[in-house]
Amino acid sequence: MKIEKLKTICVVGAGNMGHQIALCGALAGYQVTCTDISQDMLNKAEAFARSYLPERVAKGKLTQEQADTAFTNLRFTPSLEEAAGAADFVIEAAVEKINIKRKLFADLDRIAPPHAILATNSSYIVSSQIADVTTRPDKICNMHFFNPALVMKLVEVVQGPHTSEETAQVTMDLCAKLGKTAVLLKKEIYGFLVNRILSALAQEALFLADMGIATPAEIDLAVTNALGHPMGPFRLMDLTGIDLSYYSAMERYQSTRNPKDKPSPLVVEKFTKGEWGKKTKKGYYTYE
């Protein structure tokens, strides 16, 4: 498949990443259907689009015609069959749990047209852990957007040993059509590029907080003021979701059985309390 033939996109997952990825596609002129098992999440995703697009018009970032066209391009449905049945490209943005992703990709392989590329937005689970449940391993890859997807330009495309050159190229081309800057990883590696660097920083920051050497707020102040980062590691974890940090660490630990890969005690405490960051109004910081 060539990028010129790609017309329809299915986004699986209407959460923090999924609904923004779907809107990116709609703004780029693609027919996008966003699906989720939760009708509440779909309602919130549609409400976000209804508020975001007029705001962009008011700020002069979009014309009214562009906003209207984008909203017309966007559909929401709880039916995976309806969303993926005619899709040329599928982007899965579900929870970071390998068993859920494997079940989803088996279903997508059955539902989506044979030519469709099936990409996972996973930031840690490489597509070789998923591709074997499909009959099209050559059309499976990672397409990792960064949060918030409407703002962040970078996308990491990861070409696993099963991924064809054509699939990697079409995915890179799609990133360009979406207005993104893509980097291609020719080999799979845990955490890809950016998250390997960020996780090293976060791991050390969590160690310092767990040891009582400094508070999360003080560590963030040090990182932003001395290193020039736009936000510290704890503020970033609040943004991306402490639940994601917990699930990613648990997936890693279950794979390696190395105690060092277990979630930090502070992450476990926050996860258990349901204090997952901005999405729950409280994490390392409180949000009104």
Side-chain angles (χ1 to χ4, degrees), residues 50-194:
R50 287 186 182 278
S51 63
Y52 175 82
L53 292 169
E55 287 172 3
R56 301 299 284 172
V57 173
K59 292 179 179 179
K61 302 296 184 181
L62 292 174
T63 65
Q64 188 62 55
E65 183 181 3
Q66 287 173 322
D68 291 343
T69 300
F71 194 76
T72 301
N73 289 344
L74 195 55
R75 294 172 57 248
F76 300 92
T77 176
S79 169
L80 187 64
E81 286 78 7
E82 185 182 339
D88 297 317
F89 201 104
V90 178
I91 304 170
E92 170 271 318
V95 66
E96 289 284 89
K97 292 186 177 181
I98 185 65
N99 58 324
I100 292 176
K101 292 185 185 295
R102 285 177 64 82
K103 172 66 166 60
L104 264 175
F105 270 74
D107 290 341
L108 288 167
D109 185 52
R110 172 177 53 84
I111 296 166
H115 70 272
I117 291 172
L118 311 180
T120 174
N121 179 56
S122 177
S123 53
Y124 285 98
I125 299 172
V126 292
S127 66
S128 60
Q129 294 181 275
I130 301 167
D132 64 297
V133 302
T134 76
T135 59
R136 60 182 95 187
D138 61 309
K139 293 181 172 65
I140 312 297
C141 68
N142 284 83
M143 185 185 190
H144 176 224
F145 292 78
F146 288 82
N147 189 27
L150 282 161
V151 177
M152 299 294 283
K153 289 292 186 182
L154 188 70
V155 177
E156 293 172 319
V157 176
V158 186
Q159 183 177 5
H162 52 280
T163 309
S164 70
E165 291 290 340
E166 180 181 280
T167 294
Q169 187 59 57
V170 171
T171 306
M172 292 288 288
D173 291 343
L174 177 57
C175 290
K177 293 284 187 179
L178 298 179
K180 302 300 183 184
T181 300
V183 290
L184 177 62
L185 283 69
K186 298 291 286 184
K187 294 182 180 179
E188 292 183 334
I189 187 169
Y190 180 78
F192 312 153
L193 300 181
V194 176

Side-chain angles (χ1 to χ4, degrees), residues 224-266:
T224 54
N225 285 279
L227 301 181
H229 291 204
M231 67 177 70
F234 292 98
R235 182 76 72 179
L236 180 59
M237 278 186 273
D238 269 5
L239 178 64
T240 58
I242 295 169
D243 56 328
L244 176 61
S245 299
Y246 175 83
Y247 289 134
S248 297
M250 284 302 295
E251 289 285 351
R252 181 65 171 168
Y253 170 65
Q254 287 166 8
S255 173
T256 66
R257 293 298 173 184
N258 185 340
K260 290 183 178 179
D261 291 326
K262 284 184 176 180
S264 147
L266 189 53

